[in-house]
Amino acid sequence: MEWKLKSYEELSKRELHDIFKERVQVFVVEQNCPYPEVDGDDDQAEHLWLENNGEIVAYCRLFPSGIKYKEASIGRIFVRKSRRGEGHAQLLLEKALHTILQVWGEPAIKIQAQHYLNDFYTSLGFTNISQVYLEDGIPHVDMLLNTAQH
């Protein structure tokens, strides 16, 4: 297995295709949620994923502060359905947090989390900063990790 972190410009056509294909599979097909998955923000993101024999196992987008929010952010987080329950989400988020906090030196990270994952994100140091709301018909909550509080 191999970690990859690439800017939009560094992605090959095949990598971009595979990322879009897997994101649509998870966020549109599995969640039965027709929404514009290819949202125009990919060119501003760093793309982090774990790959095994050419297959994306886990993935997320990382944004520096000032792009999505005043804080840095993580989005489009997923683990391939056939690989869930193997600890890949924890590893992905640890890698994402390290990249944003240690490598980039960002002081805070904001996410829009699906509400059912609240305990998982809380275990990583995030705190709720909003009430539960519907985003594309799915309950979400805004969460913040602030290194000044840790």
Side-chain angles (χ1 to χ4, degrees), residues 49-101:
W49 73 97
L50 180 60
E51 187 172 296
N52 185 38
N53 296 322
E55 172 185 274
I56 297 173
V57 174
Y59 168 90
C60 66
R61 294 192 303 195
L62 310 179
F63 292 95
S65 55
I67 303 288
K68 298 289 276 182
Y69 309 107
K70 70 178 185 176
E71 304 87 0
S73 64
I74 307 170
R76 297 298 201 267
I77 302 163
F78 76 82
V79 173
R80 176 186 286 266
K81 189 174 187 177
S82 64
R83 303 300 302 264
R84 293 179 192 155
E86 299 176 10
H88 298 300
Q90 179 84 27
L91 294 173
L92 176 68
L93 267 293
E94 288 172 0
K95 186 90 168 165
L97 295 179
H98 173 79
T99 300
I100 292 172
L101 301 174

Side-chain angles (χ1 to χ4, degrees), residues 109-144:
I109 302 170
K110 182 177 179 180
I111 60 173
Q112 282 186 303
Q114 290 190 12
H115 186 250
Y116 83 95
L117 293 168
N118 193 77
D119 290 346
F120 170 69
Y121 290 114
T122 299
S123 76
L124 295 168
F126 286 90
T127 56
N128 293 347
I129 58 169
S130 78
Q131 297 297 316
V132 177
Y133 59 90
L134 290 180
E135 178 81 19
D136 298 312
I138 298 171
H140 280 72
V141 64
D142 292 343
M143 302 185 83
L144 185 70

